[in-house]
Amino acid sequence: MVKRMLVLLLAHGFTAALLYAQTADEDFIDDAAEADASGWMDRFETARSSPIDINRVSLEELEAFPLVSPLLARQVMENRKSRGPFLSWKNFISRVGLNDSYAAALEPYFKFSALNARTRLGAEIRARFIMDHPEPEGYRDGTYSGDPMHTYLRAKVRSGDRFDAGFLMEKDPGETNWTDHAVGFASFQNRSGSGRVIFGHFLVEAGQGLVLAGPYPNLKGANPLAPLEPHPLGARGYLAASEGRAFQGILVQKRLRPFHVLFFFSKTSRDGSVNTDGSIKSMACTGYHRTASETAGRGAFDENAAGLRIEASIRSARIGLTGFMNRYSRSVRHEETELYRFDFSGDGNAAAGCDWNAAWKNTTWTGEAAVARSGATALLSAWVMESKSTDAVLAFRRYDRAYDNPYASGFTASETQNETGLYAGFVVKPFRHVS
């Protein structure tokens, strides 16, 4: 787990640093994708194998790509609307005004086909079989029941913009079942692109991540602005090796300009440890099933969850309302109440929030306010300014100690709970290749 966390943290830092890099490190992207539950590396892989058509992409899709800032996305849309389709990469960087290093980092992920072009059928298969030497003590003393082999198999298929699907099977070292972690999904979109349905495993990300987000927070990195300019991917099929976070069920999306509505229902099993009275003592998030105790906690309880998101976009402003509620098949109860008095307890939880993003010229005001079932609140508000010579960000966050939401993952120094603080960052670019 520690190795995976390090890989994800490096992946986020790498993404920020790539804004000024000449080329991408292919091997690093390839390795990081295996542990990428946030979806960033998956976006890189998909865009490299099936480049984003800059003449057809929507503002929301362009903003979701990690290397594109909200300011650049708006500039691209405005330029395309006023001056027509981009003719080539040279024409694009000239019209938008990108510097050489930034343009080099972006180029592999975009294309400029005719507006009536259609993407053909594509497929991708990835497999890994890894064994570390020397073997850890757990294999030699019999603590781990399985072999030390780490297996990973992922397959994806896409047909134009209307259908994509995939599955992933993974076994951690020490586990016995080669399909110990198995996820998959199928996604269908109508011809106009206004409706979409996902069956299977999926992830939902919105706003600043205080209600629904990927499993890892946005931490400080090489680029001071990056943590406060999140790229929520909305709804996406889940094909990550990180276990215990995905929803499983059905998700429906519908665009009714200027509104975007998303609803989902999920029913899935979760790992945990059980008290003597049958209640849940703690929820496990590692996904390991190597030892007798880890195996005993597998599927200890079920979770039913439902969520709704409504988003409205008007010109350069966007506001969204997000909420979810869930019920557990067993009640969560901590026996050491004094030690865990601020942690969640009970047989169900809920959270709701309002997020916003408003842009004017080269400044953006973004943030989210949320409340949990306990009544505890969380707030993140940020002001961002970007220009050719200077970038700046100033943010305030306040997360109540009792704000307990298992699906929150906003900008934080530690976790989205029990934290208050100011954050400021600056980037000065005095010369073309110096920052």
Side-chain angles (χ1 to χ4, degrees), residues 173-218:
E175 295 176 337
T176 58
N177 190 349
W178 280 46
T179 60
D180 185 86
H181 173 55
V183 293
F185 75 93
S187 174
F188 303 87
Q189 184 170 269
N190 62 7
R191 187 177 299 275
S192 66
S194 62
R196 185 187 183 200
V197 179
I198 300 177
F199 297 97
H201 294 87
F202 54 86
L203 192 69
V204 181
E205 297 180 341
Q208 287 283 344
L210 302 187
V211 179
L212 292 174
Y216 300 109
N218 293 324

Side-chain angles (χ1 to χ4, degrees), residues 408-431:
S409 190
F411 171 66
T412 175
S414 56
E415 58 182 324
T416 316
Q417 186 182 30
N418 190 29
E419 184 173 300
T420 299
L422 287 168
Y423 172 85
F426 304 92
V427 178
V428 179
K429 297 167 283 188
F431 307 108

Side-chain angles (χ1 to χ4, degrees), residues 120-264:
R120 297 179 179 179
L121 179 69
E124 171 197 318
I125 297 177
R126 165 177 293 160
R128 289 193 183 89
F129 303 92
I130 303 171
M131 186 179 295
D132 291 336
H133 294 283
E135 296 177 358
E137 183 66 25
Y139 304 108
R140 296 194 294 269
D141 62 14
T143 303
Y144 295 163
S145 55
D147 61 68
M149 180 70 75
H150 178 197
T151 64
Y152 176 94
L153 175 65
R154 188 180 75 168
K156 296 171 64 178
V157 62
R158 174 185 293 271
S159 178
D161 298 327
R162 300 189 61 188
F163 170 77
D164 64 294
F167 74 90
L168 177 144
M169 297 187 302
E170 189 243 12
K171 180 188 84 71
D172 291 310
E175 295 176 337
T176 58
N177 190 349
W178 280 46
T179 60
D180 185 86
H181 173 55
V183 293
F185 75 93
S187 174
F188 303 87
Q189 184 170 269
N190 62 7
R191 187 177 299 275
S192 66
S194 62
R196 185 187 183 200
V197 179
I198 300 177
F199 297 97
H201 294 87
F202 54 86
L203 192 69
V204 181
E205 297 180 341
Q208 287 283 344
L210 302 187
V211 179
L212 292 174
Y216 300 109
N218 293 324
L219 302 175
K220 299 183 294 293
N223 185 332
L225 275 65
L228 279 309
E229 287 188 329
H231 299 265
L233 299 180
R236 56 182 286 266
Y238 190 84
L239 291 181
S242 180
E243 302 178 35
R245 189 61 178 261
F247 294 110
Q248 180 180 358
I250 182 172
L251 180 145
V252 179
Q253 289 178 286
K254 183 64 177 178
R255 294 184 184 274
L256 301 167
R257 298 290 183 183
F259 297 101
H260 180 194
V261 181
L262 178 154
F263 171 79
F264 69 86

Side-chain angles (χ1 to χ4, degrees), residues 379-409:
L379 170 67
L380 175 61
S381 181
W383 171 84
V384 180
M385 186 274 289
E386 296 177 275
S387 70
K388 291 185 177 180
S389 60
T390 307
D391 297 338
V393 60
L394 179 65
F396 171 77
R397 67 190 182 281
R398 183 183 185 279
Y399 306 143
D400 284 351
R401 191 168 187 175
Y403 185 75
D404 203 326
N405 174 7
Y407 296 105
S409 190

